[in-house]
Amino acid sequence: MKRRVSTILVLILLIIAGTYARNEIFGPPHQMNKAGKKSKDSKAEIKNGDIIFQTSVSGQSKAIQLATHSKYSHCGIVYKNGENYFVYEAVEPVCLTPLNEWIARGSGGHFVIKRLKNADEVLTPEVLSKMKTVGDRFKGKHYDLYFEWTDDRIYCSELIWKVYKEATGLELGKLEKLKSFDLTSLAVKEKMKARYGNKIPMNETVISPESIYNSEFLITIKSN
C-alpha cells in the first residue's frame, strides 16, 4: 500500500514539474489561440533552413527580453515536409511544431523570418540533410531552464546555433557570458534567484535569440 501511494505521489510531482516547464517556455495553454487567422499567408517565400523569431508569452519571456534588450525571446528553424511547414524548436521537449501553431503561440501572432544572405549557395540539399541529422540528435531532449552550454538539455537559440555551426560551419551570433547581459531589472533578478538561488553561473557561455537575430550572416525576408 505504501509503495502504491509513493508511486502516485511521484507521478503527481512529475506532472506538476512538466506543467511548470511548459508554462515557462510556452506560456499558459489558453495563449495558443487568437493569432492563427493572421498566419494564412505565413508560408509565402519561406524556405528550408529559415530562422523564425517571436515574442513568447512564457513565464521567462519578459526576463529574457530585459536581459538581452530584445523584442524576441524564442526562435526555431523552419523545415518543409511535403506541403506542410514545421518549426524545429527547443521546448519541452525538443520537437517539430506545425508552423501555424508555432505562430499562434507567440504574442499577437507576430513573427520575423530571417535567412542566410547566401542561402542558395550554402543550404544545398546535402547541407540541409546534415542540418536535420544534427538536429535529430537533440530531438526529445528536455528544455534547458538553466541555459547551460551542454548537449544534455538545450534551449531555443542554442539549438539553432549548434545545428548551423556543425552543418554549415557558420556561427550565427556571438557567444557571450551570462554576466554580459543586463541583469539589473527586478524581473531578471527574481527569475535568476528562482533558477539559481545564490549560485548564479556568471561565466556560463550563452547564445541569445537577440544575438542570432542580429547576426551579420542573416537578412530579414518576412515580418508581419
Side-chain angles (χ1 to χ4, degrees):
M1 182 66 180
K2 288 183 178 179
R3 182 179 295 177
R4 187 175 181 183
V5 171
S6 297
T7 302
I8 293 172
L9 287 174
V10 169
L11 288 173
I12 291 173
L13 287 173
L14 286 173
I15 292 170
I16 292 172
T19 301
Y20 170 77
R22 289 188 67 82
N23 286 346
E24 280 291 285
I25 303 159
F26 286 134
H30 71 270
Q31 292 290 352
M32 292 182 62
N33 50 31
K34 311 173 187 176
K37 294 182 179 179
K38 292 186 178 181
S39 61
K40 288 182 179 179
D41 66 342
S42 62
K43 302 178 182 64
E45 304 174 356
I46 298 175
K47 293 184 178 181
N48 276 306
D50 284 349
I51 301 173
I52 188 167
F53 299 82
Q54 68 178 194
T55 303
S56 171
V57 294
S58 69
Q60 68 180 7
S61 179
K62 190 62 177 179
I64 292 174
Q65 290 174 270
L66 290 169
T68 62
H69 295 172
S70 173
K71 179 177 181 179
Y72 303 105
S73 56
H74 188 51
C75 46
I77 304 173
V78 179
Y79 291 117
K80 187 176 183 181
N81 186 358
E83 295 302 312
N84 300 311
Y85 287 83
F86 297 84
V87 179
Y88 195 51
E89 58 174 342
V91 282
E92 182 52 42
V94 175
C95 65
L96 275 172
T97 302
L99 177 61
N100 283 354
E101 288 183 18
W102 193 92
I103 292 172
R105 209 173 60 215
S107 178
H110 172 64
F111 65 91
V112 173
I113 295 178
K114 293 209 166 194
R115 179 181 299 158
L116 288 180
K117 293 177 180 178
N118 56 342
D120 289 340
E121 299 172 17
V122 176
L123 299 184
T124 61
E126 292 76 19
V127 170
L128 286 168
S129 178
K130 186 175 182 180
M131 285 175 64
K132 292 178 181 178
T133 298
V134 173
D136 280 346
R137 294 210 309 265
F138 301 104
K139 190 173 184 180
K141 290 200 172 186
H142 292 300
Y143 182 82
D144 187 0
L145 288 169
Y146 299 97
F147 305 113
E148 296 174 325
W149 197 251
T150 72
D151 291 349
D152 298 332
R153 296 170 180 261
I154 197 158
Y155 55 92
C156 65
S157 43
E158 180 187 15
L159 177 67
I160 293 172
W161 197 93
K162 288 181 174 179
V163 167
Y164 261 86
K165 173 63 175 177
E166 186 167 341
T168 72
L170 296 174
E171 296 184 357
L172 298 187
K174 179 184 177 183
L175 296 178
E176 300 173 86
K177 298 298 183 181
L178 186 59
K179 63 185 178 183
S180 68
F181 296 112
D182 184 353
L183 309 178
T184 60
S185 71
L186 180 60
V188 174
K189 288 180 179 179
E190 289 178 345
K191 188 60 66 176
M192 297 281 279
K193 180 72 173 178
R195 293 280 169 85
Y196 305 110
N198 295 320
K199 296 182 179 180
I200 300 174
M202 291 296 190
N203 288 313
E204 186 70 56
T205 297
V206 180
I207 183 71
S208 67
E210 174 71 358
S211 186
I212 294 179
Y213 186 88
N214 288 323
S215 171
E216 62 181 341
F217 297 117
L218 300 176
I219 56 172
T220 299
I221 59 104
K222 190 174 183 62
S223 175
N224 71 338

